[in-house]
Amino acid sequence: MAAGEAVTLQLGPYAGCVGSHWWGLQAAAPPGPAELGGGTLLRAAGGREESRTPRLIALELKGSAGRDGGGRPGRGGAIPLLAAPLLQAAWAHWGAALSARRLRRPGAGTWRATWSSRRLEAPRRGIADNGCSMQVWSDYLSVQLHPRSIYVIQQYNHNGESGCLEAFGQGEKLLQEHGCTEELEDRLHFYVEECDYLQGFQVLCDLHSGFSGVGAKVTELLYDEYSGKGILTWGLTPVMHNMGDSQKNFYRLMNTVLGIVHLSSHSSLFCPMSLNGSLGLKPQPPITFPYINYDASLNYHSSAILAAALDNLTVPYRLCSSRGSMMHLAETLNFSGRKVAAAWASVPFPVVYGHSLPDVLHAYQQDLPWKLLSSCREQNISCCFAQSVVLRGISKEGHSSCPGKQPTSPLHAFETAEQILQQYSHAVFPGAFSTFHVLEQPCMTRPPYPHFFSPLLTRQGFLLDKPSCYSAAAVESIPVLTSLQSSSVLHTLLYSLYKDVQKLNIQRWASFFSAGVEQADFHEAVEALRTLSQCYETGFGDDKSEDETDSD
């Protein structure tokens, strides 16, 4: 049995995109004995084990949860807003569990509840245009949501030139309003009180917009109200375009810097995740994957890759066979003030059909088999202080060489996948404290997961020497390798953001500070960012001194 339950909070439209795919991955898990405990993330709907829904609270803007600006329903996958008859039906469906709880009428306050009364149509629609029709996250949400899951912020719009939640201070102010805080606390209490043992909270938060301010206040509330519980926060940023817009670029950088500082201070562990090549002022090409042909302009595509990585990164506290918790995972990585972690992933992990794990890793002696998902100038091999490694989708046993045959490499002398990973990791990151988990259960990639895989993959995601006769849509599962690291690469990331802020003339952007951020508080946060970056310095050749970096 897993260590306990977790409550998930999705803060922002892009967090909703990642979340939609993540919940779809939970729903796609094959039947039968499971290696992962479904009860960690999902709750039994109406007390029925066969019908599970996410233990989720999602804060969204008008138009981002399935409605366009005119108030019309979105596409087939949109979540309908509750009208009075639907509200009554929802209460009847969910039964006594809600009888003592208050749910406001639509339009009665700042928030609106939304509910999906059926599994959505995305898995059956097909994606003939390769995802271009997937405009909002509810277009590819494939699970039912509880009536208390969705809150729509009425003060701000998802799209448009005005009325957008674009500054950190706007987000902070939202959660300072008594009505909003009361609504959030009411939903938190509902989910927490039904848990047998609460591990903690997973927070998926948009880092580039005003939702970074919302996340700052939400994590502060969780930190104050649920002392001793784990808070794992994932700061999410879509692939950015139109980087020539100076105001948007400035706001994005400021939101990112303030978000990293505030979210990490109130979280057990904070990890930025994005397919952007950089979170700073200087644009970099998006991250590429050798066996995925994704469109970086589509949030539907980029969020699917992050969701597959996230599903792997969170394995250690979801295992049926382990009592490891969210707090245990955080404490493995956050020592010495290092509360920011970097995510690395190989999606899919390139296992050649018919070859063993040692064969694959032996080919990566001078390089790493994964890509950095934390938007930094990637180093080939950085100094790693601690890491949590998860590999899924391959056999745990039977990887050694044939009896009597000389091992091709030291890796071939080991029998189990976990032993092989340990040996490889100790060779690449000597001295790092590492934990390893291997699962045979792969990452399921059936619709509505995008059909963007290379024709070199089999149905099970293994590599072939030549293109298969299958289409990309035929790839039903893939092996995935991830590493959540406390690493010197974070010095590069955090200090480069600090330098970018130092280049700005903040007097030009009074509008950002008029939203509620005091300049003195901002300067304090910038210095906190520099202090945080220093926690990841090593003094060796893998990272430059600050003076050298300043002269670049």
Side-chain angles (χ1 to χ4, degrees), residues 266-444:
H266 292 117
S267 301
S268 309
L269 193 70
F270 170 78
C271 178
M273 292 183 70
S274 176
L275 300 187
N276 273 307
S278 168
L279 294 180
L281 290 173
K282 186 177 180 181
Q284 298 288 342
I287 298 166
T288 59
F289 298 84
Y291 304 107
I292 293 181
N293 304 311
Y294 81 101
D295 185 341
S297 68
L298 296 179
N299 289 345
Y300 168 63
H301 279 190
S302 63
S303 62
I305 298 172
L306 295 185
L310 187 62
D311 198 39
N312 244 45
L313 295 166
T314 57
V315 158
Y317 57 87
R318 298 195 286 132
L319 288 168
C320 292
S321 59
S322 171
R323 300 297 294 177
S325 67
M326 299 173 68
M327 190 61 84
H328 292 152
L329 175 61
E331 290 174 346
T332 299
L333 302 169
N334 68 7
F335 53 86
S336 302
R338 301 181 182 120
K339 295 184 71 176
V340 181
W344 304 73
S346 180
V347 184
F349 181 54
V351 180
V352 179
Y353 183 75
H355 288 219
S356 66
L357 179 60
D359 295 333
V360 178
L361 294 178
H362 183 61
Y364 287 95
Q365 296 298 306
Q366 303 301 320
D367 200 357
L368 292 172
W370 44 49
K371 295 293 187 83
L372 181 61
L373 304 186
S374 293
S375 297
C376 179
R377 185 178 58 207
E378 188 171 341
Q379 304 174 13
N380 286 335
I381 298 180
S382 60
C383 177
C384 177
F385 309 112
Q387 64 174 340
S388 168
V389 180
V390 176
L391 173 61
R392 64 190 300 182
I394 68 164
S395 172
K396 294 183 179 182
E397 310 287 341
H399 293 279
S400 63
S401 301
C402 297
K405 183 180 179 181
Q406 182 69 23
T408 307
S409 73
L411 294 176
H412 289 80
F414 295 91
E415 175 69 24
T416 69
E418 188 169 320
Q419 291 171 339
I420 294 163
L421 276 178
Q422 288 178 353
Q423 177 68 19
Y424 175 79
S425 177
H426 293 330
V428 177
F429 303 114
F433 177 79
S434 303
T435 61
F436 303 91
H437 295 93
V438 178
L439 284 71
E440 295 189 353
Q441 178 181 324
C443 175
M444 307 305 295

Side-chain angles (χ1 to χ4, degrees), residues 104-238:
R104 289 192 177 186
R105 301 186 317 275
T110 303
W111 311 98
R112 288 188 182 181
T114 63
W115 179 64
S116 173
S117 60
R118 56 186 172 82
R119 283 190 179 269
L120 302 174
E121 297 175 0
R124 299 188 295 272
R125 287 202 305 262
I127 309 173
D129 57 357
N130 203 28
C132 293
S133 64
M134 303 297 191
Q135 298 298 314
V136 293
W137 60 262
S138 58
D139 285 340
Y140 42 94
L141 177 68
S142 59
V143 298
Q144 292 182 351
L145 299 182
H146 189 273
R148 291 181 174 271
S149 282
I150 309 295
Y151 305 128
V152 178
I153 300 171
Q154 296 298 310
Q155 294 97 317
Y156 296 101
N157 298 315
H158 173 51
N159 290 314
E161 295 299 320
S162 61
C164 297
L165 183 60
E166 56 186 359
F168 183 90
Q170 293 173 312
E172 277 195 314
K173 278 186 176 180
L174 273 175
L175 268 293
Q176 290 171 344
E177 296 179 9
H178 176 72
C180 296
T181 304
E182 182 184 17
E183 292 282 2
L184 177 60
E185 289 178 337
D186 186 53
R187 272 63 178 185
L188 281 170
H189 293 160
F190 171 74
Y191 286 119
V192 168
E193 288 169 8
E194 69 176 13
C195 294
D196 293 327
Y197 175 74
L198 176 70
Q199 288 195 53
F201 303 88
Q202 304 174 129
V203 182
L204 280 61
C205 180
D206 285 9
L207 194 59
H208 60 294
S209 70
F211 271 102
S212 62
V214 174
K217 285 300 179 182
V218 167
T219 52
E220 182 180 355
L221 184 152
L222 297 175
Y223 181 83
D224 292 339
E225 294 293 325
Y226 299 95
S227 176
K229 300 299 182 183
I231 305 172
L232 297 189
T233 303
W234 311 89
L236 305 171
T237 304

Side-chain angles (χ1 to χ4, degrees), residues 12-82:
Y14 193 64
C17 295
V18 175
S20 281
H21 283 301
W22 194 19
W23 301 122
L25 295 177
Q26 312 313 309
E35 295 170 287
L36 296 175
T40 304
L41 305 182
L42 307 176
R43 61 186 297 278
R48 300 190 307 276
E49 289 294 327
E50 69 277 7
S51 180
R52 290 180 174 269
T53 59
R55 197 176 293 107
L56 169 69
I57 302 170
L59 274 61
E60 293 293 343
L61 303 175
K62 287 188 297 183
S64 66
R67 291 217 162 207
D68 63 21
R72 299 183 300 275
R75 298 178 183 271
I79 303 175
L81 288 175
L82 283 172

